Amino acid sequence: MHVLVTGGAGYVGTLLVNRLIDRGDEVTVLDSLLHKSPSLLQHFINPKFRFVEGDVRDADNVKDALEGTDAVVHLAAIVGAPGCEAEPRLAEEVNHHAVELLISLAGSDRALIYASTGSNYGAVDGLCTEETPLNPLSHYGVTKTAGELAMIESGQAICYRFATAFGLSPRMRLDLLINDFTYQAVKNRQLVVYENWARRTFIHVRDMAESFIFALDNYDRMKGEVFNVGSDDMNATKKEVAELINGKVGGFLWFADIGSDPDKRDYEVSYEKISGYGFSTSVGLEAGIDELIDGYKMIRISNPFSNMA
Ligand SMILES: NC(=O)c1ccc[n+]([C@@H]2O[C@H](COP(=O)([O-])OP(=O)(O)OC[C@H]3O[C@@H](n4cnc5c(N)ncnc54)[C@H](O)[C@@H]3O)[C@@H](O)[C@H]2O)c1
């Protein structure tokens, strides 16, 4: 199979590309290298890998990248609420309009897999299923929801609403909750947590990559459907996560009302639908956090406000 991965140089994409190459697929990546990440360097010696440096908003770049491909995993996005609030028009163009462009250029024969997000739900009372109405609150959620609706209307996409990712990847993201908490605990020996009662849901980044492999292999029976992707075992409050990390690392743990989540995520999510199709995650919270604690030895970002070396 020849798979186009848009945003393939990103946090999730890098691990997905590794996985696709390992199993012998041909891979094209379209990425604008927004974060200047060299995470795919190792693949340039592989004749089955092609990199198109370009923009998903540019029709010529998209046509070039689609050449010869059978399926598209669409990851390219302005991710997270802060990034989208900082550049709202860019977020609308990339997260919404570029999705419509991709659908129109992909034609009706290609499999489309879309990386959507649990942020689309907004604040939810009770158990959140795929039938729960979408009520995005942040600009990130609003633009990702618009992209998702376009994908659903195309009739040829599988839409995945992911839990919050965590874990090591060659293109690291330190803004994600568990990655951030663990980083603060390891590097600063203190962790300050707001809204500690909020119930969140998590998925390891390798399991996200694996879920795309599952979608590619099961496209015909999953096509046209929306799935929450995560694990029923990985719903936890921020307090529980912080205490788990703190128990491993030590240092100070403070709970303080110093902020709030723009997406107002405080919900328990059901993953019954995707598990009914046969997909389950394999990396638990503890194992993923242990890897982070180890892996952060290789990440050194100087903190001008820290008096610790
Ligand atoms: N990480 C999570 O917790 C999470 C959760 C739910 C959904 N998602 C979704 O998964 C996808 C991947 O997220 P990620 O965590 O890997 O983010 P990331 O920022 O690491 O990766 C996004 C990639 O898209 C590229 N990109 C951005 N704008 C582009 C443009 N105009 N043209 C071409 N490339 C562009 C960036 O260079 C980057 O490599 C996103 O669609 C995100 O909304 C992520």
Side-chain angles (χ1 to χ4, degrees):
M1 190 186 290
H2 185 166
V3 184
L4 167 61
V5 184
T6 71
Y11 177 64
V12 179
T14 299
L15 291 179
L16 173 61
V17 171
N18 291 353
R19 186 69 179 78
L20 289 166
I21 294 278
D22 279 353
R23 70 176 205 156
D25 286 326
E26 231 176 298
V27 179
T28 296
V29 167
L30 171 61
D31 200 298
S32 60
L33 298 180
L34 191 62
H35 309 292
K36 304 177 179 58
S37 166
S39 59
L40 296 174
L41 260 185
Q42 58 178 317
H43 297 303
F44 281 78
I45 57 168
N46 187 331
K48 288 188 160 182
F49 175 77
R50 185 165 85 99
F51 181 72
V52 177
E53 182 180 356
D55 198 308
V56 286
R57 295 172 296 168
D58 181 311
D60 289 336
N61 290 166
V62 176
K63 278 186 210 156
D64 178 12
L66 281 167
E67 192 76 38
T69 60
D70 312 299
V72 183
V73 178
H74 185 56
L75 301 177
I78 305 301
V79 302
C84 292
E85 302 303 335
E87 297 212 54
R89 185 180 297 186
L90 176 69
E92 174 67 15
E93 287 175 9
V94 176
N95 296 359
H96 178 197
H97 298 148
V99 177
E100 295 174 337
L101 177 68
L102 174 67
I103 292 165
S104 69
L105 295 175
S108 53
D109 291 338
R110 281 190 183 80
L112 300 177
I113 326 268
Y114 177 67
S116 194
T117 165
S119 295
N120 293 358
Y121 289 117
V124 175
D125 282 334
L127 189 66
C128 186
T129 72
E130 288 81 356
E131 308 306 320
T132 301
L134 300 183
N135 179 28
L137 298 171
S138 70
H139 193 51
Y140 175 60
V142 167
T143 57
K144 290 294 291 187
T145 299
E148 183 190 302
L149 292 177
M151 281 284 179
I152 292 170
E153 276 167 22
S154 79
Q156 68 194 85
I158 298 169
C159 293
Y160 274 171
R161 291 182 193 142
F162 284 107
T164 298
F166 75 108
L168 290 174
S169 163
R171 133 80 180 148
M172 234 359 237
R173 277 187 61 189
L174 295 181
D175 58 315
L176 296 165
L177 190 144
I178 292 182
N179 293 358
D180 172 45
F181 280 14
T182 310
Y183 189 83
Q184 300 305 332
V186 168
K187 297 292 184 182
N188 299 331
R189 295 278 159 198
Q190 67 167 337
L191 176 53
V192 183
V193 176
Y194 58 82
E195 295 180 337
N196 68 46
W197 37 263
R199 200 156 185 79
R200 296 284 299 270
T201 180
F202 303 97
I203 182 168
H204 195 273
V205 62
R206 284 202 297 281
D207 281 324
M208 283 178 85
E210 209 53 49
S211 72
F212 289 117
I213 301 285
F214 186 83
L216 291 166
D217 289 349
N218 292 278
Y219 176 70
D220 287 337
R221 66 191 186 100
M222 296 173 79
K223 175 182 166 182
E225 298 284 335
V226 176
F227 298 89
N228 291 331
V229 186
S231 160
D232 290 325
D233 298 337
M234 295 223 271
N235 288 307
T237 63
K238 288 167 70 171
K239 183 168 186 276
E240 286 163 352
V241 170
E243 285 174 346
L244 179 61
I245 295 167
N246 197 247
K248 291 174 180 291
V249 178
F252 293 104
L253 173 60
W254 308 100
F255 298 116
D257 286 332
I258 52 154
S260 65
D261 175 18
D263 288 306
K264 302 280 173 247
R265 287 162 293 187
D266 173 23
Y267 47 40
E268 176 122 8
V269 177
S270 164
Y271 298 103
E272 207 181 318
K273 182 173 177 185
I274 194 148
S275 63
Y277 276 71
F279 177 76
S280 57
T281 62
S282 62
V283 188
L285 278 180
E286 281 220 54
I289 289 168
D290 287 341
E291 288 177 3
L292 282 170
I293 292 169
D294 264 1
Y296 279 156
K297 290 177 188 139
M298 289 210 79
I299 298 184
R300 298 187 182 181
I301 299 169
S302 67
N303 176 354
F305 306 109
S306 170
N307 61 353
M308 308 277 284

